[in-house]
Amino acid sequence: MYHKLRPMEQINLSTKIVVCVYEELNEIEKKLIDVAKEACQRAYAIYSNFQVGSAILLENKEIISGNNQENAAFPSGICAERTTLLYANSRYPDEKPVMMAIAAHTNDSFTDQPITPCGACRQVILEAENRYKIPIRILLYGKNQVYIIESIKDLLPLSFGELQLNASV
Ligand code: THU
């Protein structure tokens, strides 16, 4: 048995998440969250009744917002994060997305706790970080707590990206 030949190793991963409340944020961070919350109102979420909004601050200071767009064929719907980021990248391919805020609303209220991006959105955010060669700061809004993440790599350890694709095996 191979583990008798050499001791097994263990890799421990850790993630840094700053936890705060909305009132502790600076003006631009608050603004980005406000725009993400507003975007929830325009979500098309008739199947889940879970409206997600997202807002992205570009390097030129412009703010782009978007939301989830559902479909009767469920997998054809798309999350707020990808709607917003892919629109920003297609409309402003030369502007780096520097910060992103995400908020979610359901049953007449914003969620108490932050919601975190799904796996597919994490992968798309990672691609943007690699494409623009910057970490994208992410603010996850909850009424009781806000999480601040400095890079999607904190939420996607051992990620698959361009480096793996180009690595010779
Ligand atoms: N959703 C998002 O838009 N972003 C997330 O981070 C999690 C989930 C959407 C997908 C679907 O329209 C609804 O929320 C319920 O999963």
Side-chain angles (χ1 to χ4, degrees), residues 17-154:
I17 298 175
V18 172
V19 182
C20 65
V21 292
Y22 175 84
E23 288 71 26
E24 292 174 287
L25 300 173
N26 68 29
E27 288 315 305
I28 184 65
E29 292 164 342
K30 283 183 182 161
K31 169 80 181 162
L32 208 59
I33 285 180
D34 294 347
V35 174
K37 288 170 75 177
E38 264 168 43
C40 292
Q41 295 170 16
R42 299 185 296 274
Y44 180 65
I46 62 169
Y47 301 105
S48 69
N49 183 36
F50 194 75
Q51 296 87 20
V52 185
S54 136
I56 293 176
L57 175 70
L58 300 176
E59 206 176 24
N60 68 0
K61 306 274 182 270
E62 199 158 331
I63 294 178
I64 306 294
S65 67
N67 42 45
N68 51 336
Q69 297 291 316
E70 296 186 347
N71 193 288
F74 290 175
S76 299
I78 186 165
C79 295
E81 295 89 325
R82 272 175 290 160
T83 304
T84 314
L85 186 55
L86 296 178
Y87 173 71
N89 293 166
S90 57
R91 178 71 181 81
Y92 301 96
D94 299 324
E95 291 297 334
K96 296 179 182 182
V98 293
M99 189 157 55
M100 182 167 191
I102 301 159
H105 184 277
T106 189
N107 298 327
D108 295 324
S109 164
F110 287 99
T111 55
D112 288 337
Q113 294 302 322
I115 67 143
T116 49
C118 79
C121 288
R122 292 178 198 205
Q123 187 69 31
V124 168
I125 298 168
L126 176 72
E127 188 71 24
E129 287 199 356
N130 289 338
R131 173 178 176 175
Y132 293 101
K133 303 193 176 5
I134 45 148
I136 301 174
R137 197 145 191 270
I138 304 177
L139 312 173
L140 302 172
Y141 174 77
K143 278 190 295 182
N144 297 345
Q145 281 180 325
V146 172
Y147 289 169
I148 305 178
I149 292 146
E150 296 300 336
S151 162
I152 198 65
K153 288 177 182 147
D154 287 330

